[in-house]
Amino acid sequence: MFKLLKYFDKKIWIFFSILIVFLAARVYIEITIPDWIEKITSSVTKNESLSAIIFNGGMLICLVVVDFAILVTTFYLSAVVGARFSKILREKVFEKINSFSNNEINKFSTNSLITRCSNDVTMVQNSMTTLLRMGLFAPMMLSVGILKFFLHSNISVSTILIYPVIITITTLFLCIMVLLIFTLPKTKVMQKLIDKLNKVSRNQIAGIRVIRAFNAEEHEKKNFIDVNDCMTKNTLFTNSMWGFAMPLIDLFSSLQVLLLFWVGLLNAIDLASINGTVQLAAIIFISFLMLIMLFVILPRGLVSAKRINEILETEVTIKYQSFDIFYDDFKSIEFNNVTFGYPNAAEPILKNLNFSIGTGQTIAIIGANGSGKTTLAMLMARFYDVVSGEIKINNVNIKEYSQKDISKILTIVPQKAALFNDTILNNICYGIDNKNMTVAKNAAEIACADFIEKLDDKYQTIISQNATNLSGGQKQRVSIARAIAKNTPVIIFDDSFSALDYKTDLILRENLARDLKETTKIIIAQRINTILNADKIIVLEKGEIVGIGSHNELLNNCQIYKDIVYSQINPDELR
């Protein structure tokens, strides 16, 4: 957790400094209260005047009121510091996750990242607040209290009465340590169990249609119950152990008072000194108890802080330039001896690729499943970096561009349409500063998204979570319209026509050819009909290019392409 303190900003340090001052003032008041209790007791036992009793009592009341006000203030200040600190942490974690490439996201997993930027940050906030309230106050109070214990009365009295305090605190300490030995291992695995529960819940919610279609509700219910039961048992054991600790603490607190009076009266110590010592011993006892409780509360916070720190200290594998250099028109994309393999993979998925793409061309990429088509698209968008070779845009290595540059050059329409829980208009105009209805309608018309005009709210229709209120083809057309609206010189369609019927597919391609003549279109597809009229077709087989050319050229020169074509189209239809 202490590594995260470097994210304290100026305001947090100001609040923290004020908090220290108030904590010091509270320590002074707390340590003074036993003196006034002793004075009141002495005034009563010695039959002093009523005015002396009222004065001493009034001073004690004033101290208690001031102590209460300072306590409320310190709680407020610690809450402000904790809340602001968690706000900064969430922002830092969010920014860091946004800078991650697919490599880093796959390393942590989506479920774990969600837990780390939500539940883990909350745990750190709670631990920080507790640390400020107890972790700073308790050591100050304990050290001053022990010093005052030997100074508030004569040495002989302090020496006699110290033994009950030592006995009760030592015994309680040993009991708490036993509890910690049993509960700490359970506490440390709690965040991992939350990760697992989040994963199971997320999978079940996302796959609810598949689960129902395969009648697998009982199977998924069992998975959830197993994880939930494990977490419940873990929590129940921990809480039960500390539930036993609370009455134990009350027992030793009462026992300490009883022993102090017993030892004090046996040694003929006056009642005023005993009362003052009881109050002071209670302060020492509570301070010591606060320190012990920190060992209970902080472990989960420390585990969460470590998990957050893992994200913040992760080295991002893909680093973009901080300045923009793309000002000219798009001219070309070149792959020069490009080889790429995923981390820990047995062999590269793409091998020694060499080809170029010019402006305004329609390029198609086809191949069997697993041949590397989508990976090739990911490399163009620089979601991954090549292992060897280089990708050039306008004869400049892609690594020399900023992230904003690449965003201005190309747009990718993914296999699975990723739409947001927002209006159709905002989804189509996503990433565009001016949410222009004319732009949205024009893009939707090109993308054959005519269904939008038939909806009750048209472009103001809210797309539900995971776009469950749209069909697969509707999702793809909105996703394609979004790419068209962005108006970049290159658009990559990663198998994004697969959910369209043949007629819509044909009309859409005709629209793209007519209205986006200057735009370079890279189409990854499984259907031969989708790519027949492409300027250049690239055929991939096991990560290698086995053919480049037009449809007719490949039909005559590439057997793999010929096999793909004849598996979908009757040879007589091609004549």
Side-chain angles (χ1 to χ4, degrees):
M1 186 183 296
F2 298 106
K3 287 184 178 180
L4 299 177
L5 295 182
K6 62 185 177 182
Y7 298 110
F8 269 26
D9 64 2
K10 185 178 179 180
K11 285 187 177 180
I12 291 181
W13 282 116
I14 291 172
F15 279 111
F16 180 77
S17 302
I18 297 172
L19 177 63
I20 294 294
V21 173
F22 274 93
L23 286 175
R26 189 181 171 212
V27 169
Y28 174 78
I29 292 173
E30 288 277 350
I31 213 69
T32 306
I33 288 176
D35 294 338
W36 290 98
I37 291 176
E38 188 172 337
K39 287 180 181 180
I40 292 174
T41 307
S42 179
S43 298
V44 173
T45 55
K46 293 179 181 179
N47 294 319
E48 293 182 2
S49 62
L50 182 61
S51 60
I53 296 174
I54 292 174
F55 175 77
N56 291 332
M59 288 298 295
L60 180 61
I61 291 172
C62 288
L63 286 173
V64 171
V65 171
V66 173
D67 186 43
F68 175 76
I70 292 176
L71 178 62
V72 171
T73 305
T74 56
F75 269 57
Y76 170 75
L77 290 172
S78 60
V80 169
V81 171
R84 186 167 182 83
F85 182 51
S86 67
K87 173 180 176 289
I88 293 172
L89 276 186
R90 285 192 189 93
E91 289 175 352
K92 295 292 183 183
V93 172
F94 181 77
E95 289 172 5
K96 188 70 175 185
I97 291 174
N98 275 341
S99 71
F100 280 175
S101 68
N102 288 13
N103 284 330
E104 287 79 47
I105 291 174
N106 294 336
K107 172 185 173 184
F108 287 101
S109 84
T110 304
N111 309 300
S112 182
L113 288 174
I114 291 172
T115 304
R116 291 177 196 233
C117 66
S118 54
N119 183 270
D120 280 324
V121 173
T122 301
M123 288 304 305
V124 170
Q125 176 185 348
N126 294 338
S127 298
M128 176 61 68
T129 304
T130 303
L131 187 64
L132 294 174
R133 291 174 181 175
M134 294 177 7
L136 297 178
F137 175 75
M140 294 166 62
M141 193 71 249
L142 186 62
S143 56
V144 174
I146 292 173
L147 181 64
K148 181 68 179 289
F149 194 92
F150 291 100
L151 298 178
H152 92 288
S153 185
N154 60 67
I155 296 297
S156 59
V157 171
S158 299
T159 304
I160 293 170
L161 295 180
I162 192 65
Y163 293 113
V165 178
I166 293 175
I167 291 170
T168 52
I169 288 180
T170 303
T171 308
L172 178 62
F173 175 75
L174 293 174
C175 293
I176 296 295
M177 286 300 104
V178 172
L179 290 176
L180 281 173
I181 290 171
F182 284 104
T183 57
L184 270 181
K186 299 285 185 181
T187 302
K188 289 181 178 179
V189 301
M190 184 62 73
Q191 296 307 108
K192 292 182 180 179
L193 288 173
I194 293 175
D195 275 354
K196 198 171 182 180
L197 189 65
N198 187 13
K199 177 182 177 181
V200 171
S201 301
R202 189 168 178 268
N203 287 343
Q204 290 180 355
I205 293 170
I208 188 67
R209 294 182 180 180
V210 176
I211 293 169
R212 289 175 179 172
F214 284 84
N215 194 28
E217 287 94 337
E218 291 301 318
H219 173 74
E220 293 300 326
K221 184 178 179 180
K222 182 180 181 301
N223 287 342
F224 180 84
I225 289 174
D226 289 344
V227 179
N228 194 33
D229 284 349
C230 186
M231 189 170 178
T232 301
K233 290 175 183 178
N234 191 81
T235 306
L236 188 62
F237 176 82
T238 305
N239 291 345
S240 298
M241 293 294 285
W242 289 111
F244 174 73
M246 297 315 295
L248 195 67
I249 291 167
D250 288 339
L251 173 65
F252 279 97
S253 178
S254 302
L255 186 62
Q256 178 178 263
V257 174
L258 180 63
L259 287 174
L260 283 170
F261 272 100
W262 182 55
V263 172
L265 294 175
L266 281 180
N267 289 274
I269 299 173
D270 64 280
L271 187 60
S273 295
I274 294 175
N275 262 347
T277 304
V278 166
Q279 181 64 29
L280 189 56
I283 292 173
I284 295 173
F285 183 85
I286 292 172
S287 302
F288 184 76
L289 186 60
M290 285 182 181
L291 285 178
I292 294 176
M293 292 307 293
L294 286 175
F295 287 100
V296 180
I297 298 170
L298 288 184
R300 280 192 70 183
L302 292 173
V303 171
S304 294
K306 182 180 178 182
R307 284 158 55 88
I308 291 171
N309 212 47
E310 284 175 356
I311 292 178
L312 296 176
E313 292 187 351
T314 295
E315 189 71 22
V316 179
T317 53
I318 296 180
K319 296 179 180 179
Y320 295 92
Q321 293 292 351
S322 58
F323 49 87
D324 300 336
I325 64 171
F326 180 73
Y327 302 108
D328 301 326
D329 294 333
F330 169 76
K331 297 180 180 65
S332 66
I333 297 177
E334 297 175 40
F335 274 59
N336 296 328
N337 300 315
V338 169
T339 296
F340 173 78
Y342 290 104
N344 303 319
E347 59 180 24
I349 191 168
L350 294 174
K351 306 164 191 174
N352 198 35
L353 303 187
N354 288 279
F355 64 89
S356 64
I357 301 171
T359 181
Q361 288 186 322
T362 298
I363 305 298
I365 302 172
I366 196 168
N369 289 333
S371 60
K373 301 185 299 297
T374 295
T375 302
L376 192 151
M378 297 298 105
L379 291 178
M380 288 190 211
R382 211 189 167 201
F383 293 156
Y384 296 98
D385 268 342
V386 300
V387 174
S388 64
E390 62 180 356
I391 301 173
K392 289 184 176 182
I393 298 178
N394 288 3
N395 207 32
V396 177
N397 193 310
I398 195 172
K399 295 180 181 179
E400 298 298 319
Y401 288 100
S402 68
Q403 190 171 20
K404 187 177 179 181
D405 279 335
I406 296 175
S407 174
K408 288 190 295 185
I409 294 168
L410 61 84
T411 303
I412 185 167
V413 184
Q415 288 177 320
K416 183 179 179 182
L419 301 179
F420 301 98
N421 184 202
D422 203 342
T423 63
I424 290 178
L425 173 64
N426 289 342
N427 268 278
I428 292 177
C429 294
Y430 187 75
I432 302 174
D433 294 332
N434 182 18
K435 302 291 190 294
N436 192 310
M437 181 65 76
T438 304
V439 172
K441 286 185 175 181
N442 181 59
E445 184 179 345
I446 296 172
C448 298
D450 51 316
F451 71 92
I452 299 174
E453 294 290 349
K454 299 176 184 177
L455 300 173
D456 291 339
D457 296 323
K458 297 184 171 43
Y459 286 85
Q460 297 303 321
T461 300
I462 300 293
I463 296 177
S464 64
Q465 192 76 33
N466 296 323
T468 53
N469 57 339
L470 298 180
S471 69
Q474 290 172 337
K475 292 179 194 177
Q476 283 193 339
R477 281 177 281 171
V478 173
S479 183
I480 292 168
R482 179 171 59 196
I484 294 170
K486 192 179 176 187
N487 194 30
T488 55
V490 180
I491 300 179
I492 302 172
F493 299 94
D494 183 11
D495 203 16
S496 47
F497 301 157
S498 57
L500 305 181
D501 60 79
Y502 285 98
K503 181 180 179 181
T504 304
D505 184 341
L506 175 61
I507 296 172
L508 174 55
R509 285 185 285 111
E510 289 175 348
N511 291 347
L512 292 174
R514 182 186 68 247
D515 298 317
L516 301 180
K517 290 180 180 178
E518 301 301 320
T519 302
T520 299
K521 298 167 282 293
I522 301 171
I523 302 174
I524 298 172
Q526 297 286 351
R527 292 179 185 170
I528 288 298
N529 285 331
T530 302
I531 64 169
L532 282 177
N533 298 318
D535 298 318
K536 187 188 297 183
I537 300 172
I538 299 172
V539 185
L540 290 178
E541 175 70 14
K542 296 181 180 179
E544 296 182 291
I545 296 176
V546 294
I548 296 181
S550 66
H551 168 70
N552 290 328
E553 290 171 346
L554 290 172
L555 203 58
N556 294 324
N557 302 323
C558 181
Q559 184 60 44
I560 292 175
Y561 180 76
K562 190 174 181 179
D563 292 340
I564 295 173
V565 171
Y566 289 164
S567 69
Q568 298 182 32
I569 301 175
N570 190 307
D572 294 333
E573 295 178 16
L574 295 173
R575 294 178 184 147

